[in-house]
Amino acid sequence: MKICRSIKDCRVAVADLRRQDRSIGFVPTMGALHDGHLSLVRLAQANATSSVVSIFVNPTQFGDAADLDLYPRDEDRDLALLHKAGVDIVFLPDADTIYPPGDETIVETTRLANMLHGKVRPGHFRGVTSVVNRLFNIAQPDVAVFGEKDYQQLMVIRQMVHDLHMPVGIIGGPTRREADGLAMSSRNQRLSPADRLAAVVLNRSLDLAEARACSTGATVDDIRNVIIDTIAAEPRAKLCGLDTVTADGLNSLHGVIIEPLAIMISVQFSDILLIDQRVIQP
Ligand code: PAF
């Protein structure tokens, strides 16, 4: 496994793979890897003949400097996991490498980035597209894998790749869950033991909403009420965002559910915001 910290080293390593006629499957991450990331790596490996993973805690997607500082980091453990997973190249840039001094270029999907979660976290998706664009230019992948848990992020990336004619296939990786149903996330390790137990309410509310959606004549408001009531019944949880939108364009939906519906929720426990999602087929 090659470990590259500079753009030049990463390009040389990628060119070596290309010379061997290997295609590149790319997984961008912010480190603190868990089984969810490793499932994305396996998906990249199933769709390409080599795999490249980046680890970069991207400052431009954090609104709050404290959140950025508290983001978990464990490079040695991450590298050991990626080595075991058979990854070919790990790209570990620092912030000045990705954003050279004097940098002034941003990439933004103007509609998708500023709605739903983007309203709660202004600038977040602009930071994501700006960094993913740079990472794609460096790793030059054939395919790239993003988790479906960050559903809006996946849609934003698909839109960017479409609009900018980028020759990268985007693959969504199914959400991996802990035994009790909590979606795997690097943020989970910052939850207190009591909040960690309570956090199961996200998945429970989505299960109940899905069950409700399967009953005849269920409306979008029925689904929303199930989520609101379930989260309200957990005193440690505060519902911060609930979006019920079309699964493809993320447009608002009302009335009886007659087309695929994406439910996206964000729930706060103390100072930790967790997100989860479910796509429901009527
Ligand atoms: O999903 C993430 O971990 C990040 O948003 C990403 C895609 C690595 C960009 O920094």
Side-chain angles (χ1 to χ4, degrees), residues 20-226:
Q20 299 162 38
D21 232 6
R22 316 254 305 267
S23 57
I24 311 287
F26 180 49
V27 184
T29 79
M30 298 206 297
L33 303 180
H34 50 67
D35 277 355
H37 294 108
L38 298 177
S39 73
L40 304 183
V41 170
R42 286 192 291 276
L43 207 47
Q45 290 168 334
N47 285 277
T49 51
S50 67
S51 50
V52 178
V53 174
S54 62
I55 300 178
F56 177 60
V57 183
N58 174 34
T60 63
Q61 68 188 77
F62 288 82
D64 180 355
D67 204 23
L68 171 64
D69 287 346
L70 287 171
Y71 201 82
R73 290 163 172 88
D74 193 342
E75 190 179 299
D76 291 345
R77 183 177 169 275
D78 289 349
L79 289 175
L81 287 171
L82 295 176
H83 186 260
K84 195 160 165 232
V87 166
D88 296 277
I89 301 173
V90 183
F91 180 45
L92 282 152
D94 62 18
D96 280 355
T97 300
I98 294 297
Y99 299 107
D103 154 85
E104 55 177 84
T105 305
I106 54 168
V107 178
E108 183 170 28
T109 55
T110 48
R111 184 186 72 97
L112 281 176
N114 295 304
M115 61 198 288
L116 313 179
H117 285 179
K119 260 197 196 146
V120 187
R121 304 177 71 188
H124 169 73
F125 290 113
R126 182 173 56 223
V128 171
T129 41
S130 293
V131 76
V132 170
N133 187 287
R134 285 160 172 76
L135 293 170
F136 280 2
N137 286 335
I138 297 163
Q140 297 173 45
D142 298 283
V143 294
V145 187
F146 294 83
E148 287 173 354
K149 178 170 75 74
D150 296 310
Y151 193 74
Q152 188 172 356
Q153 169 170 282
L154 178 61
M155 295 296 129
V156 162
I157 299 292
R158 283 193 200 285
Q159 187 75 41
M160 173 186 78
V161 163
H162 170 267
D163 294 352
L164 299 183
H165 313 291
M166 297 171 129
V168 184
I170 302 299
I171 300 170
T175 304
R176 296 267 300 175
R177 294 183 182 279
E178 305 290 353
D180 65 0
L182 176 64
M184 289 183 182
S185 163
S186 308
R187 288 175 193 268
N188 293 351
Q189 48 180 284
R190 288 176 51 205
L191 293 168
S192 70
D195 285 344
R196 168 62 190 84
L197 284 176
V200 73
V201 74
L202 277 86
N203 185 50
R204 190 187 320 129
S205 72
L206 291 169
D207 281 347
L208 292 171
E210 186 165 7
R212 183 73 185 88
C214 291
S215 57
T216 319
T219 65
V220 174
D221 277 347
D222 295 336
I223 302 299
R224 295 180 66 85
N225 289 335
V226 167

